[in-house]
Amino acid sequence: QVQLVESGGGLVQAGGSMRLSCAVSGTTLSNLAIRWHRQAPGKQREWVADMRSSGSTNYAASVKGRFTISKDNAKNTMYLQMNSLEPEDTAVYYCGITRSTIYWGQGIQVTVSS
């Protein structure tokens, strides 16, 4: 059974940093594509960043240069490092992995105060 559990969210002031973690069980991260999405209040879920199985990364324009997606295969954990946070980054963040389907974590709240 594949499970993803996010951690590291909470409240941070604008301009601050936060690192989200996503521990994966039931499968190994190596050779899997990973992604982060988020959903702000009253808005649709949106893609934030992804890493292909090749290791190449892609970012939404709104976070490029501020966020970094990564993974540690030995720990079977993926990360989203978020710097220079803005109030507009306030959302529930979801990690996901792609196998035959996409598996999602339960989501974690990130709140950026102005």
Side-chain angles (χ1 to χ4, degrees):
Q1 182 181 1
V2 177
Q3 288 188 321
L4 289 74
V5 179
E6 296 104 335
S7 60
L11 176 65
V12 64
Q13 287 190 331
S17 297
M18 181 178 286
R19 188 178 77 160
L20 301 181
S21 300
C22 176
V24 179
S25 60
T27 189
T28 56
L29 273 184
S30 57
N31 299 320
L32 291 182
I34 62 173
R35 63 183 68 200
W36 288 91
H37 288 219
R38 67 185 181 186
Q39 186 166 16
K43 295 186 177 181
Q44 289 189 330
R45 187 181 297 195
E46 65 175 358
W47 165 75
V48 174
D50 64 54
M51 176 184 285
R52 309 285 176 86
S53 56
S54 63
S56 64
T57 57
N58 299 282
Y59 297 92
S62 59
V63 307
K64 194 170 185 178
R66 300 189 297 122
F67 289 14
T68 303
I69 186 172
S70 63
K71 64 177 179 176
D72 185 331
N73 291 332
K75 295 183 178 180
N76 224 37
T77 300
M78 53 192 284
Y79 305 97
L80 185 68
Q81 177 67 44
M82 305 183 292
N83 299 328
S84 302
L85 282 161
E86 304 167 352
E88 294 73 22
D89 296 317
T90 294
V92 176
Y93 284 72
Y94 299 88
C95 59
I97 61 172
T98 302
R99 285 183 53 183
S100 54
T101 185
I102 299 176
Y103 294 87
W104 295 103
Q106 80 284 359
I108 192 163
Q109 179 69 46
V110 172
T111 302
V112 184
S113 64
S114 56

